[in-house]
């Protein structure tokens, strides 16, 4: 049976998960985790939580799933040594450098590759296995078929999300919060930009024939209908999202999935809290493949709860609704009591007219199943909702949708599962009380034969002075006393299942002695259950690893023969300029310009052959970019690279790197590999990359900290580009402009129109698709790093990139000319920036590189 893994953001959430069936829990590391708004536990709290869970047989994973910058990495060895000493079962890690540092400090510490690593293929999974990861948390965008394909091609443990919020963007590839709000999702500070309203412009005109105002806000995931299939595939761990949710939510989700995994049929009362406590509407996400119409409702983005039905009429201060079929099937009759999923007094009721932007809520006073006059057999059941006098029902109109989005009564019931001792889950234990008159009394306790403890009293058993009772009576009295004292376990993790008494009949045993034996035995059993293998973490070993990495860079050590061939030994200071084009029409515009390389990154169906030849005829080296995501069955574009044998390839994911590294084609790495520190750079370069672009999560200070500890000639930086925000499996083109669920039902609408998205700040952004129909929302105002050019050159950086998007040939030429002249020193940087800004439809930005602001912690 797969592991059931629950989220923990507070101590109460831990207790809720443990007492409702979790096999494992995950929570944030003090000061470090990908949910910046969760409670920050102290080291002592973490130690206590790990102990609490381990006694009860629940594993604990510490989430440190963020990118780590260079200065932070150098300061982490002592912190990690202290953290590993707390004895967590595993760490959940995004950053390659951090994973390597943990391995250096403690080679036997278990580490899991976070979903933030964007692992979507067996090749990517096996790549992180080579780093030393024990488990991979797969991308949420995979179907059951794709998960099965990965499982068949790796022996690494696999973890899959089964419940909770879905991100519209691939985790680890979302720069939206960073671009729109200056807060990085890769640093635990997601601003939930996907939940905001957007307006759509098609070919320059606002598109109003859609209800998808919240175009990028997916429904929530619920994999209960697919649980059996995930088990059959052999998924090792089933993960629930929700460290920012409530303890009651965790209790409800834990309980439902534990029942399902145990083979017990779920009832309406099991499903009820999954929607009422927090839900944006439940779907199976991508598990059944793409369904862009079902994934995103588009009319709302926040918690709505359980859909009850639609308003039929307002009758003398009451609201009558036609019940949704899912509720109607389990609704009680007018004479019966309440039923699962049926609203209760005090519940929160939401009325909504999404097209008109009307949303009204109130507490429910009473609900009653009713019917209209002349109702026919088979007509939908009706529900009369009664509210307090303060609620003005004149706000409500027929046709409004009705949701049940809160239930204090339901929360109270769930809360009892982890606060009332009678309802808490307990481990059954067996006890044997033994002793002879004249000898010490012994108590043996075990939960499994492996976990057996024994305690011996200091008291020597004496014969009872009162021998008036018969032997049977004495034996009965002793059993009653022992049962009473030894079963008093309500404050522990255990419940007495069986008690065996092997004591002389006439022995005198004080009750206090039994209580002391019980307390000592339980303490020993707790210690037995929390025994941990000695790991002996060493901060000094971590420091040595980091120092060796720095020395390797400074000594100019080559990483692979392919790399040494790709980089001239002389390491010329002459800058190498690459231009990325997204259309064959842009290639001709580069003729005669002072650039060295052209990277082709074309859309679906566009052939590379002619453009490859054209680029070479222009005297430039021709490169091809991989996609940012690699999934099972998607190696054809990599085979095309191998077939065409370009002069180099731009690698954007670990799966592609794994496939191409032995090809003999020179490789360069892109920002999507999320290299943020020297230890990450070291490993990625060792895989055959000649140069590597840093993660866009770095600002200029962090970038130059990195350059202090690596070889600057191995770093490439883009001086001009439209920053990617969302990068999504979900197709906004199909959802908003068609009724198609997936390709080819969409009619390739993305190839027929130019779509721009207007955000809440009034800024426009460009929506583009790639060769696998994935969408990228590019920030409308491009980013320029020209101001950093002098410092970059001083740091040894001589590889620069310029990225185009949808510009026509003339605009491409003007832009590239401005930048090449600036790089060559023919025009001043300030003049180049001014000229470049003139070329842009929505202006020019300095972007995240110049963002030195500090995110304010909402918890303080």
């Amino acid at each position: 049976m797969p592991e059931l893994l629950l989220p923990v953001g507070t101590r109460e959430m831990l207790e809720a998960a443990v007492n409702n069936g979790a096999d494992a829990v995950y929570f944030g590391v003090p000061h470090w985790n990908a949910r910046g708004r969760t409670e920050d536990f102290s080291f002592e709290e973490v130690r206590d939580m790990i102990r609490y869970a381990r006694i009860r047989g629940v594993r604990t994973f510490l989430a440190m799933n963020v990118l780590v910058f260079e200065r932070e990495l150098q300061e982490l060895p002592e912190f990690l040594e202290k953290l590993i000493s707390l004895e967590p079962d595993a760490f959940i890690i995004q950053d390659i450098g951090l994973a390597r540092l943990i391995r250096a400090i403690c080679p036997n510490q278990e580490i899991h590759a976070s979903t933030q690593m964007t692992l979507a293929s067996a090749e990517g999974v096996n790549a992180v296995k080579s780093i030393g990861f024990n488990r991979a948390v797969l991308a949420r965008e995979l179907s059951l078929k794709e998960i099965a394909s990965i499982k068949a091609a790796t022996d690494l443990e696999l973890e899959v999300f089964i419940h909770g919020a879905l991100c519209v963007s691939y985790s680890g590839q979302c720069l939206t919060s960073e671009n729109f709000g200056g807060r990085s999702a890769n640093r635990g500070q997601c601003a939930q930009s996907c939940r905001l309203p957007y307006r759509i412009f098609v070919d320059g005109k606002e598109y109003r024939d859609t209800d998808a105002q919240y175009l990028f806000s997916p429904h929530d995931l619920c994999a209960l209908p697919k649980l059996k299939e995930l088990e059959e595939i052999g998924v090792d761990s089933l993960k629930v999202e929700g460290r920012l949710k409530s303890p009651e939510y965790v209790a409800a989700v834990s309980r439902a999935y534990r029942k399902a995994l145990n083979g017990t049929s779920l009832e309406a009362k099991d499903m009820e809290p999954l929607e009422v406590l927090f839900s944006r509407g439940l779907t199976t996400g991508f598990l059944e493949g793409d369904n862009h119409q079902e994934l995103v409702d588009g009319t709302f983005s926040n918690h709505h709860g359980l859909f009850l039905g639609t308003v039929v009429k307002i009758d003398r201060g009451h609201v009558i609704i036609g019940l949704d079929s899912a509720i109607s099937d389990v609704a009680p009759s007018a004479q019966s009591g309440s039923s699962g999923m049926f609203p209760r007094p005090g519940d929160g009721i939401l009325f909504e007219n999404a097209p008109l932007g009307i949303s009204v809520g109130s507490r429910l006073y009473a609900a009653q199943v009713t019917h209209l006059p002349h109702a026919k057999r088979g007509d939908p059941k009706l529900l009369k909702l009664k509210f307090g006098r303060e609620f003005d029902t004149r706000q409500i109109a027929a046709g409004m949708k009705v949701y049940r989005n809160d239930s204090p009564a339901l929360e109270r019931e769930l809360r009892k599962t982890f606060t009332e001792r009678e309802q808490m889950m307990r481990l059954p234990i067996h006890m044997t009380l033994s002793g002879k008159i004249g000898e010490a009394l012994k108590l043996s306790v075990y939960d499994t034969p492996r976990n057996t403890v024994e305690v011996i009293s200091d008291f020597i058993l004496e014969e009872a002075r009162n021998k008036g009772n018969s032997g049977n009576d004495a034996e009965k009295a002793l059993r009653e006393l022992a049962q009473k004292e030894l079963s008093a376990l309500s404050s522990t993790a255990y419940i007495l299942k069986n008690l065996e008494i092997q004591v002389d009949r006439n022995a005198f045993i004080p009750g206090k002695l039994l209580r002391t034996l019980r307390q000592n035995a339980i303490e020993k059993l707790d210690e037995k259950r929390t025994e941990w293998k000695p790991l002996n973490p060493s901060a000094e070993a971590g420091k040595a690893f980091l120092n060796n990495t720095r020395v390797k860079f400074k000594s100019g050590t080559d990483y692979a023969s392919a790399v040494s061939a790709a980089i001239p030994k002389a390491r010329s200071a002459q800058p190498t300029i690459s231009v990325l084009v997204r259309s064959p029409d842009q290639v001709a515009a580069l003729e005669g310009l002072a650039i060295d390389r052209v990277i082709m990154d074309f859309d679906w169906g566009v052939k590379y052959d002619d453009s490859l030849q054209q680029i070479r005829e222009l005297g430039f080296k021709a490169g091809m970019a991989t996609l940012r995501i690699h999934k099972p069955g998607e190696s054809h574009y990599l085979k095309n690279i191998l077939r065409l044998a370009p002069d180099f390839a731009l690698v954007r994911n670990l799966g592609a790197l794994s496939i191409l590294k032995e090809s003999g084609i020179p490789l360069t790495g892109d920002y999507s590999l999320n290299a943020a520190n020297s230890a990450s750079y070291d490993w990625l370069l060792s895989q055959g990359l000649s140069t590597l672009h840093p993660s866009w999560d770095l600002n200029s200070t962090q970038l130059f900290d990195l350059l202090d500890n690596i070889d600057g000639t191995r770093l490439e930086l883009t001086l001009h580009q439209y920053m990617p925000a969302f990068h999504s499996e979900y197709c906004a083109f199909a959802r908003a402009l068609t009724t198609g669920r997936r390709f080819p039902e969409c009619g390739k609408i993305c190839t027929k129109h130019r779509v721009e998205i207007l955000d809440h700040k009034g800024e426009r952004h460009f929506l583009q698709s790639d060769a696998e129909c994935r969408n990228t929302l590019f920030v409308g105002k491009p980013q320029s790093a020209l101001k950093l050019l002098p410092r970059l050159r001083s740091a040894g950086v001589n590889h620069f990139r310029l990225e185009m998007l949808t510009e026509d040939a003339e605009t491409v030429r003007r832009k590239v000319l401005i930048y090449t002249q600036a790089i060559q020193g023919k025009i001043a940087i300030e003049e180049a920036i001014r000229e470049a800004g003139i070329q842009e439809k929505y202006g020019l930005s300095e972007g995240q590189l110049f963002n030195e602001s500090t995110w304010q912690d909402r918890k303080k």
Side-chain angles (χ1 to χ4, degrees), residues 209-233:
D209 295 337
T210 179
D211 59 355
Q213 182 185 15
Y214 295 94
L215 183 61
F216 299 105
S217 181
H219 284 303
D220 292 344
L221 171 65
C222 177
L224 280 168
K226 300 297 175 184
L227 211 55
K228 190 66 179 177
E229 290 166 82
L230 287 166
E231 285 190 79
E232 291 171 353
I233 289 169

PDB file of all heavy atoms in Angstrom, residues 209-233:
ATOM      1  N   ASP A 209     -16.355  37.270 -25.560  1.00  0.00           N
ATOM      2  CA  ASP A 209     -17.192  36.069 -25.719  1.00  0.00           C
ATOM      3  C   ASP A 209     -16.651  34.900 -24.897  1.00  0.00           C
ATOM      4  O   ASP A 209     -16.468  33.790 -25.392  1.00  0.00           O
ATOM      5  CB  ASP A 209     -17.273  35.674 -27.197  1.00  0.00           C
ATOM      6  CG  ASP A 209     -17.993  36.718 -28.033  1.00  0.00           C
ATOM      7  OD1 ASP A 209     -18.784  37.484 -27.459  1.00  0.00           O
ATOM      8  OD2 ASP A 209     -17.742  36.777 -29.250  1.00  0.00           O
ATOM      9  N   THR A 210     -16.378  35.172 -23.634  1.00  0.00           N
ATOM     10  CA  THR A 210     -15.881  34.115 -22.746  1.00  0.00           C
ATOM     11  C   THR A 210     -16.295  34.446 -21.326  1.00  0.00           C
ATOM     12  O   THR A 210     -16.452  35.621 -20.965  1.00  0.00           O
ATOM     13  CB  THR A 210     -14.347  33.977 -22.829  1.00  0.00           C
ATOM     14  OG1 THR A 210     -13.927  32.938 -21.928  1.00  0.00           O
ATOM     15  CG2 THR A 210     -13.655  35.269 -22.435  1.00  0.00           C
ATOM     16  N   ASP A 211     -16.492  33.415 -20.516  1.00  0.00           N
ATOM     17  CA  ASP A 211     -16.790  33.629 -19.103  1.00  0.00           C
ATOM     18  C   ASP A 211     -15.530  33.499 -18.246  1.00  0.00           C
ATOM     19  O   ASP A 211     -15.587  33.549 -17.027  1.00  0.00           O
ATOM     20  CB  ASP A 211     -17.828  32.607 -18.629  1.00  0.00           C
ATOM     21  CG  ASP A 211     -17.347  31.163 -18.808  1.00  0.00           C
ATOM     22  OD1 ASP A 211     -16.260  30.959 -19.379  1.00  0.00           O
ATOM     23  OD2 ASP A 211     -18.069  30.236 -18.382  1.00  0.00           O
ATOM     24  N   ALA A 212     -14.391  33.345 -18.904  1.00  0.00           N
ATOM     25  CA  ALA A 212     -13.148  33.027 -18.191  1.00  0.00           C
ATOM     26  C   ALA A 212     -12.409  34.281 -17.748  1.00  0.00           C
ATOM     27  O   ALA A 212     -11.333  34.597 -18.244  1.00  0.00           O
ATOM     28  CB  ALA A 212     -12.253  32.156 -19.067  1.00  0.00           C
ATOM     29  N   GLN A 213     -12.990  34.996 -16.803  1.00  0.00           N
ATOM     30  CA  GLN A 213     -12.288  36.144 -16.244  1.00  0.00           C
ATOM     31  C   GLN A 213     -11.067  35.690 -15.451  1.00  0.00           C
ATOM     32  O   GLN A 213     -10.017  36.316 -15.497  1.00  0.00           O
ATOM     33  CB  GLN A 213     -13.238  36.947 -15.344  1.00  0.00           C
ATOM     34  CG  GLN A 213     -12.612  38.192 -14.739  1.00  0.00           C
ATOM     35  CD  GLN A 213     -13.540  38.901 -13.760  1.00  0.00           C
ATOM     36  OE1 GLN A 213     -14.527  38.328 -13.323  1.00  0.00           O
ATOM     37  NE2 GLN A 213     -13.217  40.132 -13.425  1.00  0.00           N
ATOM     38  N   TYR A 214     -11.221  34.588 -14.718  1.00  0.00           N
ATOM     39  CA  TYR A 214     -10.102  34.023 -13.958  1.00  0.00           C
ATOM     40  C   TYR A 214      -9.474  32.919 -14.815  1.00  0.00           C
ATOM     41  O   TYR A 214      -9.579  31.724 -14.517  1.00  0.00           O
ATOM     42  CB  TYR A 214     -10.589  33.502 -12.610  1.00  0.00           C
ATOM     43  CG  TYR A 214     -11.102  34.614 -11.729  1.00  0.00           C
ATOM     44  CD1 TYR A 214     -12.453  34.944 -11.707  1.00  0.00           C
ATOM     45  CD2 TYR A 214     -10.233  35.358 -10.944  1.00  0.00           C
ATOM     46  CE1 TYR A 214     -12.929  35.984 -10.912  1.00  0.00           C
ATOM     47  CE2 TYR A 214     -10.689  36.395 -10.149  1.00  0.00           C
ATOM     48  CZ  TYR A 214     -12.040  36.708 -10.138  1.00  0.00           C
ATOM     49  OH  TYR A 214     -12.492  37.736  -9.354  1.00  0.00           O
ATOM     50  N   LEU A 215      -8.821  33.341 -15.844  1.00  0.00           N
ATOM     51  CA  LEU A 215      -8.365  32.451 -16.909  1.00  0.00           C
ATOM     52  C   LEU A 215      -7.291  31.474 -16.468  1.00  0.00           C
ATOM     53  O   LEU A 215      -7.129  30.416 -17.065  1.00  0.00           O
ATOM     54  CB  LEU A 215      -7.850  33.301 -18.080  1.00  0.00           C
ATOM     55  CG  LEU A 215      -7.380  32.593 -19.337  1.00  0.00           C
ATOM     56  CD1 LEU A 215      -8.514  31.782 -19.954  1.00  0.00           C
ATOM     57  CD2 LEU A 215      -6.844  33.605 -20.345  1.00  0.00           C
ATOM     58  N   PHE A 216      -6.546  31.821 -15.412  1.00  0.00           N
ATOM     59  CA  PHE A 216      -5.406  30.995 -15.017  1.00  0.00           C
ATOM     60  C   PHE A 216      -5.603  30.338 -13.647  1.00  0.00           C
ATOM     61  O   PHE A 216      -4.629  29.926 -13.019  1.00  0.00           O
ATOM     62  CB  PHE A 216      -4.134  31.838 -15.005  1.00  0.00           C
ATOM     63  CG  PHE A 216      -3.787  32.415 -16.352  1.00  0.00           C
ATOM     64  CD1 PHE A 216      -3.996  33.767 -16.619  1.00  0.00           C
ATOM     65  CD2 PHE A 216      -3.282  31.620 -17.356  1.00  0.00           C
ATOM     66  CE1 PHE A 216      -3.679  34.312 -17.859  1.00  0.00           C
ATOM     67  CE2 PHE A 216      -2.974  32.142 -18.601  1.00  0.00           C
ATOM     68  CZ  PHE A 216      -3.176  33.487 -18.857  1.00  0.00           C
ATOM     69  N   SER A 217      -6.835  30.247 -13.181  1.00  0.00           N
ATOM     70  CA  SER A 217      -7.102  29.691 -11.850  1.00  0.00           C
ATOM     71  C   SER A 217      -7.745  28.313 -11.956  1.00  0.00           C
ATOM     72  O   SER A 217      -8.949  28.196 -12.177  1.00  0.00           O
ATOM     73  CB  SER A 217      -8.024  30.635 -11.065  1.00  0.00           C
ATOM     74  OG  SER A 217      -8.266  30.116  -9.772  1.00  0.00           O
ATOM     75  N   PRO A 218      -6.977  27.240 -11.778  1.00  0.00           N
ATOM     76  CA  PRO A 218      -7.535  25.886 -11.929  1.00  0.00           C
ATOM     77  C   PRO A 218      -8.422  25.483 -10.751  1.00  0.00           C
ATOM     78  O   PRO A 218      -8.314  26.025  -9.638  1.00  0.00           O
ATOM     79  CB  PRO A 218      -6.287  24.993 -11.979  1.00  0.00           C
ATOM     80  CG  PRO A 218      -5.130  25.903 -12.166  1.00  0.00           C
ATOM     81  CD  PRO A 218      -5.522  27.207 -11.581  1.00  0.00           C
ATOM     82  N   HIS A 219      -9.294  24.522 -11.018  1.00  0.00           N
ATOM     83  CA  HIS A 219      -9.992  23.824  -9.946  1.00  0.00           C
ATOM     84  C   HIS A 219      -8.960  23.112  -9.071  1.00  0.00           C
ATOM     85  O   HIS A 219      -7.786  22.972  -9.438  1.00  0.00           O
ATOM     86  CB  HIS A 219     -10.944  22.777 -10.521  1.00  0.00           C
ATOM     87  CG  HIS A 219     -12.205  23.345 -11.101  1.00  0.00           C
ATOM     88  ND1 HIS A 219     -13.082  24.118 -10.383  1.00  0.00           N
ATOM     89  CD2 HIS A 219     -12.749  23.219 -12.334  1.00  0.00           C
ATOM     90  CE1 HIS A 219     -14.103  24.460 -11.132  1.00  0.00           C
ATOM     91  NE2 HIS A 219     -13.938  23.937 -12.333  1.00  0.00           N
ATOM     92  N   ASP A 220      -9.410  22.611  -7.924  1.00  0.00           N
ATOM     93  CA  ASP A 220      -8.538  21.833  -7.052  1.00  0.00           C
ATOM     94  C   ASP A 220      -8.517  20.361  -7.485  1.00  0.00           C
ATOM     95  O   ASP A 220      -9.422  19.884  -8.167  1.00  0.00           O
ATOM     96  CB  ASP A 220      -9.000  21.941  -5.603  1.00  0.00           C
ATOM     97  CG  ASP A 220      -8.798  23.343  -5.037  1.00  0.00           C
ATOM     98  OD1 ASP A 220      -8.039  24.117  -5.648  1.00  0.00           O
ATOM     99  OD2 ASP A 220      -9.404  23.656  -3.998  1.00  0.00           O
ATOM    100  N   LEU A 221      -7.479  19.679  -7.039  1.00  0.00           N
ATOM    101  CA  LEU A 221      -7.270  18.272  -7.390  1.00  0.00           C
ATOM    102  C   LEU A 221      -7.903  17.355  -6.349  1.00  0.00           C
ATOM    103  O   LEU A 221      -7.754  17.567  -5.144  1.00  0.00           O
ATOM    104  CB  LEU A 221      -5.767  17.988  -7.478  1.00  0.00           C
ATOM    105  CG  LEU A 221      -5.312  16.533  -7.616  1.00  0.00           C
ATOM    106  CD1 LEU A 221      -5.788  15.952  -8.939  1.00  0.00           C
ATOM    107  CD2 LEU A 221      -3.796  16.429  -7.497  1.00  0.00           C
ATOM    108  N   CYS A 222      -8.577  16.330  -6.815  1.00  0.00           N
ATOM    109  CA  CYS A 222      -9.069  15.250  -5.954  1.00  0.00           C
ATOM    110  C   CYS A 222      -8.915  13.937  -6.729  1.00  0.00           C
ATOM    111  O   CYS A 222      -9.628  13.697  -7.704  1.00  0.00           O
ATOM    112  CB  CYS A 222     -10.525  15.464  -5.557  1.00  0.00           C
ATOM    113  SG  CYS A 222     -11.206  14.104  -4.572  1.00  0.00           S
ATOM    114  N   ALA A 223      -7.981  13.113  -6.302  1.00  0.00           N
ATOM    115  CA  ALA A 223      -7.669  11.878  -7.043  1.00  0.00           C
ATOM    116  C   ALA A 223      -8.371  10.657  -6.462  1.00  0.00           C
ATOM    117  O   ALA A 223      -8.028   9.526  -6.833  1.00  0.00           O
ATOM    118  CB  ALA A 223      -6.150  11.660  -7.045  1.00  0.00           C
ATOM    119  N   LEU A 224      -9.350  10.850  -5.598  1.00  0.00           N
ATOM    120  CA  LEU A 224     -10.052   9.689  -5.037  1.00  0.00           C
ATOM    121  C   LEU A 224     -10.599   8.750  -6.116  1.00  0.00           C
ATOM    122  O   LEU A 224     -10.491   7.523  -5.979  1.00  0.00           O
ATOM    123  CB  LEU A 224     -11.177  10.159  -4.115  1.00  0.00           C
ATOM    124  CG  LEU A 224     -10.730  10.579  -2.705  1.00  0.00           C
ATOM    125  CD1 LEU A 224     -11.851  11.297  -1.980  1.00  0.00           C
ATOM    126  CD2 LEU A 224     -10.266   9.365  -1.904  1.00  0.00           C
ATOM    127  N   PRO A 225     -11.157   9.274  -7.217  1.00  0.00           N
ATOM    128  CA  PRO A 225     -11.651   8.354  -8.258  1.00  0.00           C
ATOM    129  C   PRO A 225     -10.548   7.569  -8.957  1.00  0.00           C
ATOM    130  O   PRO A 225     -10.828   6.573  -9.634  1.00  0.00           O
ATOM    131  CB  PRO A 225     -12.359   9.292  -9.250  1.00  0.00           C
ATOM    132  CG  PRO A 225     -12.647  10.534  -8.484  1.00  0.00           C
ATOM    133  CD  PRO A 225     -11.533  10.671  -7.525  1.00  0.00           C
ATOM    134  N   LYS A 226      -9.300   8.010  -8.817  1.00  0.00           N
ATOM    135  CA  LYS A 226      -8.177   7.373  -9.524  1.00  0.00           C
ATOM    136  C   LYS A 226      -7.194   6.697  -8.568  1.00  0.00           C
ATOM    137  O   LYS A 226      -6.103   6.281  -8.981  1.00  0.00           O
ATOM    138  CB  LYS A 226      -7.428   8.422 -10.355  1.00  0.00           C
ATOM    139  CG  LYS A 226      -8.307   9.104 -11.405  1.00  0.00           C
ATOM    140  CD  LYS A 226      -8.794   8.106 -12.430  1.00  0.00           C
ATOM    141  CE  LYS A 226      -9.774   8.715 -13.413  1.00  0.00           C
ATOM    142  NZ  LYS A 226     -10.321   7.705 -14.342  1.00  0.00           N
ATOM    143  N   LEU A 227      -7.582   6.579  -7.310  1.00  0.00           N
ATOM    144  CA  LEU A 227      -6.663   6.061  -6.304  1.00  0.00           C
ATOM    145  C   LEU A 227      -6.242   4.623  -6.585  1.00  0.00           C
ATOM    146  O   LEU A 227      -5.065   4.265  -6.459  1.00  0.00           O
ATOM    147  CB  LEU A 227      -7.328   6.162  -4.927  1.00  0.00           C
ATOM    148  CG  LEU A 227      -6.408   6.378  -3.723  1.00  0.00           C
ATOM    149  CD1 LEU A 227      -5.541   7.600  -3.917  1.00  0.00           C
ATOM    150  CD2 LEU A 227      -7.229   6.502  -2.454  1.00  0.00           C
ATOM    151  N   LYS A 228      -7.191   3.802  -6.984  1.00  0.00           N
ATOM    152  CA  LYS A 228      -6.884   2.397  -7.247  1.00  0.00           C
ATOM    153  C   LYS A 228      -5.872   2.271  -8.390  1.00  0.00           C
ATOM    154  O   LYS A 228      -4.943   1.454  -8.322  1.00  0.00           O
ATOM    155  CB  LYS A 228      -8.168   1.650  -7.597  1.00  0.00           C
ATOM    156  CG  LYS A 228      -8.013   0.130  -7.651  1.00  0.00           C
ATOM    157  CD  LYS A 228      -7.688  -0.423  -6.274  1.00  0.00           C
ATOM    158  CE  LYS A 228      -7.566  -1.937  -6.302  1.00  0.00           C
ATOM    159  NZ  LYS A 228      -7.166  -2.478  -4.975  1.00  0.00           N
ATOM    160  N   GLU A 229      -6.031   3.095  -9.413  1.00  0.00           N
ATOM    161  CA  GLU A 229      -5.109   3.040 -10.545  1.00  0.00           C
ATOM    162  C   GLU A 229      -3.702   3.484 -10.143  1.00  0.00           C
ATOM    163  O   GLU A 229      -2.706   2.915 -10.600  1.00  0.00           O
ATOM    164  CB  GLU A 229      -5.632   3.907 -11.683  1.00  0.00           C
ATOM    165  CG  GLU A 229      -6.890   3.318 -12.334  1.00  0.00           C
ATOM    166  CD  GLU A 229      -7.609   4.323 -13.215  1.00  0.00           C
ATOM    167  OE1 GLU A 229      -7.180   4.491 -14.361  1.00  0.00           O
ATOM    168  OE2 GLU A 229      -8.590   4.927 -12.752  1.00  0.00           O
ATOM    169  N   LEU A 230      -3.618   4.473  -9.272  1.00  0.00           N
ATOM    170  CA  LEU A 230      -2.301   4.911  -8.789  1.00  0.00           C
ATOM    171  C   LEU A 230      -1.640   3.803  -7.974  1.00  0.00           C
ATOM    172  O   LEU A 230      -0.421   3.595  -8.068  1.00  0.00           O
ATOM    173  CB  LEU A 230      -2.441   6.182  -7.949  1.00  0.00           C
ATOM    174  CG  LEU A 230      -2.744   7.462  -8.727  1.00  0.00           C
ATOM    175  CD1 LEU A 230      -3.185   8.575  -7.788  1.00  0.00           C
ATOM    176  CD2 LEU A 230      -1.519   7.914  -9.532  1.00  0.00           C
ATOM    177  N   GLU A 231      -2.436   3.099  -7.188  1.00  0.00           N
ATOM    178  CA  GLU A 231      -1.906   1.958  -6.438  1.00  0.00           C
ATOM    179  C   GLU A 231      -1.389   0.883  -7.386  1.00  0.00           C
ATOM    180  O   GLU A 231      -0.308   0.313  -7.184  1.00  0.00           O
ATOM    181  CB  GLU A 231      -2.983   1.368  -5.533  1.00  0.00           C
ATOM    182  CG  GLU A 231      -3.287   2.160  -4.295  1.00  0.00           C
ATOM    183  CD  GLU A 231      -4.181   1.392  -3.347  1.00  0.00           C
ATOM    184  OE1 GLU A 231      -3.673   0.503  -2.629  1.00  0.00           O
ATOM    185  OE2 GLU A 231      -5.393   1.665  -3.334  1.00  0.00           O
ATOM    186  N   GLU A 232      -2.162   0.582  -8.422  1.00  0.00           N
ATOM    187  CA  GLU A 232      -1.779  -0.467  -9.365  1.00  0.00           C
ATOM    188  C   GLU A 232      -0.505  -0.103 -10.124  1.00  0.00           C
ATOM    189  O   GLU A 232       0.295  -0.983 -10.459  1.00  0.00           O
ATOM    190  CB  GLU A 232      -2.933  -0.725 -10.337  1.00  0.00           C
ATOM    191  CG  GLU A 232      -4.143  -1.388  -9.674  1.00  0.00           C
ATOM    192  CD  GLU A 232      -5.357  -1.435 -10.577  1.00  0.00           C
ATOM    193  OE1 GLU A 232      -5.311  -0.823 -11.684  1.00  0.00           O
ATOM    194  OE2 GLU A 232      -6.363  -2.076 -10.197  1.00  0.00           O
ATOM    195  N   ILE A 233      -0.310   1.171 -10.401  1.00  0.00           N
ATOM    196  CA  ILE A 233       0.920   1.617 -11.065  1.00  0.00           C
ATOM    197  C   ILE A 233       2.130   1.346 -10.186  1.00  0.00           C
ATOM    198  O   ILE A 233       3.223   1.056 -10.674  1.00  0.00           O
ATOM    199  CB  ILE A 233       0.820   3.118 -11.415  1.00  0.00           C
ATOM    200  CG1 ILE A 233      -0.178   3.320 -12.565  1.00  0.00           C
ATOM    201  CG2 ILE A 233       2.184   3.705 -11.790  1.00  0.00           C
ATOM    202  CD1 ILE A 233      -0.536   4.772 -12.805  1.00  0.00           C
TER     203      ILE A 233
END
